Amino acid sequence: MDKKTKQCIEMLRQLVSDVQGAPYPGDDIKHELYSIWYEHAQRAAVTCFEFLDENFPEESKDVTKKIDKLFN
């Protein structure tokens, strides 16, 4: 396994971990706690997307085409 693949796997594991730890924004969870989690998860997601776009550009183009087809 090459370095980029290992790095991608680690970032995706972190993203999944962040999403799995999501607090449910209800009466018993304060809005501030949810906001902190949400910002953290968003940063992890953006990092993953940027890495994927930079290192796997062809796959990104294929995904974009498929998304475009869904909305046509």
Side-chain angles (χ1 to χ4, degrees), residues 48-62:
C48 284
F49 281 127
E50 288 173 350
F51 181 86
L52 291 170
D53 284 345
E54 181 179 325
N55 294 288
F56 303 98
E58 289 303 314
E59 290 83 352
S60 175
K61 291 176 188 173
D62 291 341

Side-chain angles (χ1 to χ4, degrees), residues 12-23:
L12 290 173
R13 283 185 178 144
Q14 182 62 49
L15 177 59
V16 170
S17 174
D18 291 344
V19 172
Q20 284 179 328

Side-chain angles (χ1 to χ4, degrees), residues 2-64:
D2 68 357
K3 183 180 177 182
K4 287 183 181 180
T5 303
K6 287 180 183 179
Q7 187 177 1
C8 183
I9 290 169
E10 182 59 34
M11 289 175 16
L12 290 173
R13 283 185 178 144
Q14 182 62 49
L15 177 59
V16 170
S17 174
D18 291 344
V19 172
Q20 284 179 328
Y24 182 77
D27 292 336
D28 57 336
I29 299 292
K30 296 186 187 245
H31 182 70
E32 181 181 358
L33 176 61
Y34 181 78
S35 295
I36 291 168
W37 165 83
Y38 182 80
E39 289 174 16
H40 185 76
Q42 285 296 307
R43 279 194 303 271
V46 168
T47 299
C48 284
F49 281 127
E50 288 173 350
F51 181 86
L52 291 170
D53 284 345
E54 181 179 325
N55 294 288
F56 303 98
E58 289 303 314
E59 290 83 352
S60 175
K61 291 176 188 173
D62 291 341
V63 170
T64 301

